[in-house]
Amino acid sequence: MNIVDLVVPTIAQGLLWSILALGVFLTYRVLDIADLTVEGSFPLGAAVAASMLTSGYDPYVSIVVAAFAGMLAGVVTGILTTKLKIPALLAGILTMIALYSVNLRIMGKANLSLLRVDTIFSLASFISDNRSMVALVVGLVAVALVVVANYWFFGTEIGAAIRATGNNPNMIRANGIDTDATVILGLLLSNALVAVSGALIGQDNGFADVGMGTGTIVIGLASVIVGEVLFGTRNFMNWLISVVLGSIAYRVVIAIVLQMGMPPNDLKLFTAVLVAIALVMPLIKKKLKADREVA
Amino acid sequence: MLKVEHVFKTFNPGTITEKKALKDLSLHLAPGDFVTVIGGNGAGKSTMMNSICGTFLVDKGSITIDGVDITHWPEHRRAKFIGRVFQDPMMGTAAGMQIEENLAIAARRNRRPTFAWSAPGSQRERFREMLASLGLGLENRLESKVGLLSGGQRQAVTLLMATMAEPKLLLLDEHTAALDPKTAAKVLEITNNIVTERKLTTIMITHNMRDALALGNRLVMLHDGHIIIDVAGEEKKNLTVPDLLKMFEKAAGREMTSDRLLLS
Ligand SMILES: Nc1ncnc2c1ncn2[C@@H]1O[C@H](COP(=O)(O)OP(=O)(O)OP(=O)(O)O)[C@@H](O)[C@H]1O
Ligand SMILES: [Mg+2]
């Protein structure tokens, strides 16, 4: 097989999925919340975009509307956890489960094919005859926009308040900021990104499926953690780019293990183990260090 | 300027762990008052402070600042009026953010955040001067993460942050208790300078009777959820530690047994 035929789609996938990873980064790292809404807002984005496309709407508009739908999902989780004091993890699970029904309603059935309609990728097909190359370029443009927008936003006073909320809620409350509002805003932005990622992936795959959210939180976490370990967290811009590169690295790893003959059905198991290892890494490092100091 | 009137606060009411922490507590502060607060463990000092800054709402009574009734305001809204330094040096700053970013957030405590750049270079000179005034060598570390600072440095920075956007009221809850004696003395000196120079209305809780006597123009002792001693002006100036102990015995009807208070 031609190496380019393998590399281009892998990078394209990594880019499209990295928008999900950036969404997970916003909650998991910036807000310090593990938000499972993701597993519902990802298919939500795909469902909204797919049903709009099959009704003849413009692909660009479908992505904007998907983003707004994601925002709404984030706000629901945000209100559940701040105003109603439900633990964030549980709040996310509740929204995720509710979204399963919502997504079925939006699509009218469990799976919606996009084979015969225009998508953002078919609109961009003038770029190249190679479908994967088109996906790569579209992904690159989308990711660049998202990264720059995030860098700007989290440098503003409002963005700094959100970062401080994840860092030390006591401190930011003592400085006049309503942490309920910052948490809700953070969840809103995160799930908007996740839904956009879902809308893009759905259009790339050529279908939206109600089950496509399963395991997305773990894929997002894997990208964040792998990116941090491999590419660093020196400053916010570096951190954002690391997450994007982490998403690509994750796709490369997946491509390699699949090439080596791992059955695709084992992918989720593989990813879960990968994330588990990455999560216990700091603990193991600390233990090794402590042991060395004792010895 | 601050009026705490007949405030009651009970934790876990109706359970076996029920604790009446404040019982009919009243305290009036005049503008520029620097009040030191002492009292044994569990006397209700922190609860009084937390009631004022809105960590929780009180069961009964009212709290007003400059005539504005804030009894039912949420914590973040009261922060527009109140600067605060916690006992735990980790509480007052965001460890993962730069000193500059922390200061910038504190500088706008009394207004809404906007889409303007959070830490513009134009504030740097001012921040640097303020840090230099601490005398801790922090003026060239604006871009350091606060998490890299020592506890004393963090408390000093928190003190700057609390007083930056002119607070109507400054609340200090044993803000030197977690520091080693030398650092504690330094942070206390900085505190005294800031408060007296700018005539900030201040309440400072301390476990050190000598500090309580040496600083401020007024001294309040809490016992069992209300104020049992309240001295000011000349009377306070002439007060000694043995005097205080005697006053406590008379007011509380028993001997002072609070270990931490005596030891210091
Ligand atoms: N959040 C809370 N929940 C339950 N009980 C509490 C809470 N906060 C304080 N208490 C109880 O209320 C009483 C007063 O506590 P407070 O912290 O105000 O005392 P303090 O005077 O600050 O004491 P210390 O010198 O130990 O700081 C104590 O018995 C304490 O256990
Ligand atoms: Mg206390």
Side-chain angles (χ1 to χ4, degrees), chain B residues 78-92:
Chain B
R78 300 184 197 197
K80 315 254 169 215
F81 294 162
I82 300 173
R84 188 159 35 134
V85 184
F86 308 83
Q87 175 171 351
D88 179 356
M90 303 302 142
M91 286 264 275

mmCIF file with all atom_site columns, all heavy atoms in Angstrom, chain B residues 78-92:
data_model
loop_
_atom_site.group_PDB
_atom_site.id
_atom_site.type_symbol
_atom_site.label_atom_id
_atom_site.label_alt_id
_atom_site.label_comp_id
_atom_site.label_asym_id
_atom_site.label_entity_id
_atom_site.label_seq_id
_atom_site.pdbx_PDB_ins_code
_atom_site.Cartn_x
_atom_site.Cartn_y
_atom_site.Cartn_z
_atom_site.occupancy
_atom_site.B_iso_or_equiv
_atom_site.pdbx_formal_charge
_atom_site.auth_seq_id
_atom_site.auth_comp_id
_atom_site.auth_asym_id
_atom_site.auth_atom_id
_atom_site.pdbx_PDB_model_num
ATOM 1   N N   . ARG B 1 78 ? -20.725 39.953 46.924 1.00 0.00 ? 78 ARG B N   1
ATOM 2   C CA  . ARG B 1 78 ? -20.169 40.682 48.063 1.00 0.00 ? 78 ARG B CA  1
ATOM 3   C C   . ARG B 1 78 ? -18.695 40.995 47.839 1.00 0.00 ? 78 ARG B C   1
ATOM 4   O O   . ARG B 1 78 ? -18.162 41.951 48.406 1.00 0.00 ? 78 ARG B O   1
ATOM 5   C CB  . ARG B 1 78 ? -20.304 39.859 49.348 1.00 0.00 ? 78 ARG B CB  1
ATOM 6   C CG  . ARG B 1 78 ? -21.723 39.523 49.687 1.00 0.00 ? 78 ARG B CG  1
ATOM 7   C CD  . ARG B 1 78 ? -21.762 38.811 51.013 1.00 0.00 ? 78 ARG B CD  1
ATOM 8   N NE  . ARG B 1 78 ? -23.043 38.123 51.183 1.00 0.00 ? 78 ARG B NE  1
ATOM 9   C CZ  . ARG B 1 78 ? -23.495 37.704 52.344 1.00 0.00 ? 78 ARG B CZ  1
ATOM 10  N NH1 . ARG B 1 78 ? -22.780 37.889 53.436 1.00 0.00 ? 78 ARG B NH1 1
ATOM 11  N NH2 . ARG B 1 78 ? -24.650 37.090 52.427 1.00 0.00 ? 78 ARG B NH2 1
ATOM 12  N N   . ALA B 1 79 ? -18.057 40.166 47.014 1.00 0.00 ? 79 ALA B N   1
ATOM 13  C CA  . ALA B 1 79 ? -16.622 40.343 46.782 1.00 0.00 ? 79 ALA B CA  1
ATOM 14  C C   . ALA B 1 79 ? -16.324 41.698 46.148 1.00 0.00 ? 79 ALA B C   1
ATOM 15  O O   . ALA B 1 79 ? -15.187 42.168 46.191 1.00 0.00 ? 79 ALA B O   1
ATOM 16  C CB  . ALA B 1 79 ? -16.091 39.213 45.909 1.00 0.00 ? 79 ALA B CB  1
ATOM 17  N N   . LYS B 1 80 ? -17.344 42.330 45.563 1.00 0.00 ? 80 LYS B N   1
ATOM 18  C CA  . LYS B 1 80 ? -17.123 43.665 44.997 1.00 0.00 ? 80 LYS B CA  1
ATOM 19  C C   . LYS B 1 80 ? -16.746 44.641 46.106 1.00 0.00 ? 80 LYS B C   1
ATOM 20  O O   . LYS B 1 80 ? -16.089 45.639 45.862 1.00 0.00 ? 80 LYS B O   1
ATOM 21  C CB  . LYS B 1 80 ? -18.385 44.168 44.290 1.00 0.00 ? 80 LYS B CB  1
ATOM 22  C CG  . LYS B 1 80 ? -19.052 43.143 43.409 1.00 0.00 ? 80 LYS B CG  1
ATOM 23  C CD  . LYS B 1 80 ? -18.850 43.410 41.925 1.00 0.00 ? 80 LYS B CD  1
ATOM 24  C CE  . LYS B 1 80 ? -19.307 42.221 41.114 1.00 0.00 ? 80 LYS B CE  1
ATOM 25  N NZ  . LYS B 1 80 ? -18.623 41.872 39.949 1.00 0.00 ? 80 LYS B NZ  1
ATOM 26  N N   . PHE B 1 81 ? -17.216 44.372 47.331 1.00 0.00 ? 81 PHE B N   1
ATOM 27  C CA  . PHE B 1 81 ? -16.955 45.251 48.469 1.00 0.00 ? 81 PHE B CA  1
ATOM 28  C C   . PHE B 1 81 ? -15.811 44.747 49.347 1.00 0.00 ? 81 PHE B C   1
ATOM 29  O O   . PHE B 1 81 ? -15.195 45.519 50.063 1.00 0.00 ? 81 PHE B O   1
ATOM 30  C CB  . PHE B 1 81 ? -18.193 45.338 49.374 1.00 0.00 ? 81 PHE B CB  1
ATOM 31  C CG  . PHE B 1 81 ? -19.379 45.997 48.764 1.00 0.00 ? 81 PHE B CG  1
ATOM 32  C CD1 . PHE B 1 81 ? -20.644 45.817 49.311 1.00 0.00 ? 81 PHE B CD1 1
ATOM 33  C CD2 . PHE B 1 81 ? -19.247 46.826 47.650 1.00 0.00 ? 81 PHE B CD2 1
ATOM 34  C CE1 . PHE B 1 81 ? -21.761 46.437 48.760 1.00 0.00 ? 81 PHE B CE1 1
ATOM 35  C CE2 . PHE B 1 81 ? -20.348 47.445 47.089 1.00 0.00 ? 81 PHE B CE2 1
ATOM 36  C CZ  . PHE B 1 81 ? -21.602 47.247 47.644 1.00 0.00 ? 81 PHE B CZ  1
ATOM 37  N N   . ILE B 1 82 ? -15.617 43.416 49.333 1.00 0.00 ? 82 ILE B N   1
ATOM 38  C CA  . ILE B 1 82 ? -14.796 42.795 50.366 1.00 0.00 ? 82 ILE B CA  1
ATOM 39  C C   . ILE B 1 82 ? -13.521 42.178 49.805 1.00 0.00 ? 82 ILE B C   1
ATOM 40  O O   . ILE B 1 82 ? -13.572 41.397 48.866 1.00 0.00 ? 82 ILE B O   1
ATOM 41  C CB  . ILE B 1 82 ? -15.616 41.699 51.102 1.00 0.00 ? 82 ILE B CB  1
ATOM 42  C CG1 . ILE B 1 82 ? -16.855 42.313 51.744 1.00 0.00 ? 82 ILE B CG1 1
ATOM 43  C CG2 . ILE B 1 82 ? -14.753 40.991 52.132 1.00 0.00 ? 82 ILE B CG2 1
ATOM 44  C CD1 . ILE B 1 82 ? -17.811 41.302 52.347 1.00 0.00 ? 82 ILE B CD1 1
ATOM 45  N N   . GLY B 1 83 ? -12.386 42.530 50.382 1.00 0.00 ? 83 GLY B N   1
ATOM 46  C CA  . GLY B 1 83 ? -11.127 41.852 50.068 1.00 0.00 ? 83 GLY B CA  1
ATOM 47  C C   . GLY B 1 83 ? -10.852 40.837 51.160 1.00 0.00 ? 83 GLY B C   1
ATOM 48  O O   . GLY B 1 83 ? -11.190 41.055 52.321 1.00 0.00 ? 83 GLY B O   1
ATOM 49  N N   . ARG B 1 84 ? -10.258 39.723 50.789 1.00 0.00 ? 84 ARG B N   1
ATOM 50  C CA  . ARG B 1 84 ? -10.191 38.623 51.750 1.00 0.00 ? 84 ARG B CA  1
ATOM 51  C C   . ARG B 1 84 ? -8.872  37.862 51.641 1.00 0.00 ? 84 ARG B C   1
ATOM 52  O O   . ARG B 1 84 ? -8.405  37.599 50.539 1.00 0.00 ? 84 ARG B O   1
ATOM 53  C CB  . ARG B 1 84 ? -11.348 37.684 51.438 1.00 0.00 ? 84 ARG B CB  1
ATOM 54  C CG  . ARG B 1 84 ? -11.557 36.620 52.416 1.00 0.00 ? 84 ARG B CG  1
ATOM 55  C CD  . ARG B 1 84 ? -12.952 36.026 52.385 1.00 0.00 ? 84 ARG B CD  1
ATOM 56  N NE  . ARG B 1 84 ? -13.613 35.927 51.094 1.00 0.00 ? 84 ARG B NE  1
ATOM 57  C CZ  . ARG B 1 84 ? -14.249 34.826 50.693 1.00 0.00 ? 84 ARG B CZ  1
ATOM 58  N NH1 . ARG B 1 84 ? -14.250 33.758 51.439 1.00 0.00 ? 84 ARG B NH1 1
ATOM 59  N NH2 . ARG B 1 84 ? -14.872 34.811 49.539 1.00 0.00 ? 84 ARG B NH2 1
ATOM 60  N N   . VAL B 1 85 ? -8.298  37.506 52.768 1.00 0.00 ? 85 VAL B N   1
ATOM 61  C CA  . VAL B 1 85 ? -7.140  36.614 52.773 1.00 0.00 ? 85 VAL B CA  1
ATOM 62  C C   . VAL B 1 85 ? -7.465  35.442 53.689 1.00 0.00 ? 85 VAL B C   1
ATOM 63  O O   . VAL B 1 85 ? -7.863  35.618 54.839 1.00 0.00 ? 85 VAL B O   1
ATOM 64  C CB  . VAL B 1 85 ? -5.851  37.315 53.262 1.00 0.00 ? 85 VAL B CB  1
ATOM 65  C CG1 . VAL B 1 85 ? -4.665  36.360 53.151 1.00 0.00 ? 85 VAL B CG1 1
ATOM 66  C CG2 . VAL B 1 85 ? -5.592  38.580 52.458 1.00 0.00 ? 85 VAL B CG2 1
ATOM 67  N N   . PHE B 1 86 ? -7.300  34.247 53.152 1.00 0.00 ? 86 PHE B N   1
ATOM 68  C CA  . PHE B 1 86 ? -7.665  33.038 53.883 1.00 0.00 ? 86 PHE B CA  1
ATOM 69  C C   . PHE B 1 86 ? -6.506  32.555 54.760 1.00 0.00 ? 86 PHE B C   1
ATOM 70  O O   . PHE B 1 86 ? -5.372  32.971 54.593 1.00 0.00 ? 86 PHE B O   1
ATOM 71  C CB  . PHE B 1 86 ? -8.009  31.907 52.912 1.00 0.00 ? 86 PHE B CB  1
ATOM 72  C CG  . PHE B 1 86 ? -9.029  32.253 51.864 1.00 0.00 ? 86 PHE B CG  1
ATOM 73  C CD1 . PHE B 1 86 ? -8.673  32.908 50.708 1.00 0.00 ? 86 PHE B CD1 1
ATOM 74  C CD2 . PHE B 1 86 ? -10.356 31.887 52.033 1.00 0.00 ? 86 PHE B CD2 1
ATOM 75  C CE1 . PHE B 1 86 ? -9.603  33.202 49.729 1.00 0.00 ? 86 PHE B CE1 1
ATOM 76  C CE2 . PHE B 1 86 ? -11.299 32.173 51.062 1.00 0.00 ? 86 PHE B CE2 1
ATOM 77  C CZ  . PHE B 1 86 ? -10.926 32.834 49.907 1.00 0.00 ? 86 PHE B CZ  1
ATOM 78  N N   . GLN B 1 87 ? -6.823  31.629 55.671 1.00 0.00 ? 87 GLN B N   1
ATOM 79  C CA  . GLN B 1 87 ? -5.761  31.035 56.498 1.00 0.00 ? 87 GLN B CA  1
ATOM 80  C C   . GLN B 1 87 ? -4.835  30.166 55.645 1.00 0.00 ? 87 GLN B C   1
ATOM 81  O O   . GLN B 1 87 ? -3.627  30.200 55.793 1.00 0.00 ? 87 GLN B O   1
ATOM 82  C CB  . GLN B 1 87 ? -6.390  30.190 57.612 1.00 0.00 ? 87 GLN B CB  1
ATOM 83  C CG  . GLN B 1 87 ? -5.353  29.431 58.440 1.00 0.00 ? 87 GLN B CG  1
ATOM 84  C CD  . GLN B 1 87 ? -5.964  28.775 59.659 1.00 0.00 ? 87 GLN B CD  1
ATOM 85  O OE1 . GLN B 1 87 ? -7.117  28.998 60.006 1.00 0.00 ? 87 GLN B OE1 1
ATOM 86  N NE2 . GLN B 1 87 ? -5.179  27.950 60.334 1.00 0.00 ? 87 GLN B NE2 1
ATOM 87  N N   . ASP B 1 88 ? -5.435  29.409 54.731 1.00 0.00 ? 88 ASP B N   1
ATOM 88  C CA  . ASP B 1 88 ? -4.663  28.504 53.884 1.00 0.00 ? 88 ASP B CA  1
ATOM 89  C C   . ASP B 1 88 ? -4.045  29.293 52.725 1.00 0.00 ? 88 ASP B C   1
ATOM 90  O O   . ASP B 1 88 ? -4.761  29.841 51.904 1.00 0.00 ? 88 ASP B O   1
ATOM 91  C CB  . ASP B 1 88 ? -5.611  27.419 53.351 1.00 0.00 ? 88 ASP B CB  1
ATOM 92  C CG  . ASP B 1 88 ? -4.905  26.437 52.428 1.00 0.00 ? 88 ASP B CG  1
ATOM 93  O OD1 . ASP B 1 88 ? -3.712  26.643 52.148 1.00 0.00 ? 88 ASP B OD1 1
ATOM 94  O OD2 . ASP B 1 88 ? -5.568  25.475 52.000 1.00 0.00 ? 88 ASP B OD2 1
ATOM 95  N N   . PRO B 1 89 ? -2.707  29.329 52.649 1.00 0.00 ? 89 PRO B N   1
ATOM 96  C CA  . PRO B 1 89 ? -2.060  30.114 51.584 1.00 0.00 ? 89 PRO B CA  1
ATOM 97  C C   . PRO B 1 89 ? -2.440  29.643 50.180 1.00 0.00 ? 89 PRO B C   1
ATOM 98  O O   . PRO B 1 89 ? -2.289  30.390 49.217 1.00 0.00 ? 89 PRO B O   1
ATOM 99  C CB  . PRO B 1 89 ? -0.563  29.884 51.832 1.00 0.00 ? 89 PRO B CB  1
ATOM 100 C CG  . PRO B 1 89 ? -0.456  29.431 53.236 1.00 0.00 ? 89 PRO B CG  1
ATOM 101 C CD  . PRO B 1 89 ? -1.733  28.701 53.546 1.00 0.00 ? 89 PRO B CD  1
ATOM 102 N N   . MET B 1 90 ? -2.944  28.394 50.055 1.00 0.00 ? 90 MET B N   1
ATOM 103 C CA  . MET B 1 90 ? -3.315  27.870 48.737 1.00 0.00 ? 90 MET B CA  1
ATOM 104 C C   . MET B 1 90 ? -4.649  28.454 48.247 1.00 0.00 ? 90 MET B C   1
ATOM 105 O O   . MET B 1 90 ? -4.955  28.413 47.070 1.00 0.00 ? 90 MET B O   1
ATOM 106 C CB  . MET B 1 90 ? -3.468  26.337 48.782 1.00 0.00 ? 90 MET B CB  1
ATOM 107 C CG  . MET B 1 90 ? -2.246  25.593 49.266 1.00 0.00 ? 90 MET B CG  1
ATOM 108 S SD  . MET B 1 90 ? -0.826  25.943 48.241 1.00 0.00 ? 90 MET B SD  1
ATOM 109 C CE  . MET B 1 90 ? 0.465   26.012 49.474 1.00 0.00 ? 90 MET B CE  1
ATOM 110 N N   . MET B 1 91 ? -5.440  28.969 49.175 1.00 0.00 ? 91 MET B N   1
ATOM 111 C CA  . MET B 1 91 ? -6.830  29.335 48.848 1.00 0.00 ? 91 MET B CA  1
ATOM 112 C C   . MET B 1 91 ? -6.983  30.644 48.077 1.00 0.00 ? 91 MET B C   1
ATOM 113 O O   . MET B 1 91 ? -7.915  30.808 47.302 1.00 0.00 ? 91 MET B O   1
ATOM 114 C CB  . MET B 1 91 ? -7.644  29.438 50.140 1.00 0.00 ? 91 MET B CB  1
ATOM 115 C CG  . MET B 1 91 ? -7.980  28.126 50.762 1.00 0.00 ? 91 MET B CG  1
ATOM 116 S SD  . MET B 1 91 ? -9.603  27.580 50.300 1.00 0.00 ? 91 MET B SD  1
ATOM 117 C CE  . MET B 1 91 ? -10.599 28.437 51.525 1.00 0.00 ? 91 MET B CE  1
ATOM 118 N N   . GLY B 1 92 ? -6.062  31.569 48.296 1.00 0.00 ? 92 GLY B N   1
ATOM 119 C CA  . GLY B 1 92 ? -6.290  32.920 47.796 1.00 0.00 ? 92 GLY B CA  1
ATOM 120 C C   . GLY B 1 92 ? -5.770  33.214 46.407 1.00 0.00 ? 92 GLY B C   1
ATOM 121 O O   . GLY B 1 92 ? -6.044  34.268 45.844 1.00 0.00 ? 92 GLY B O   1
#
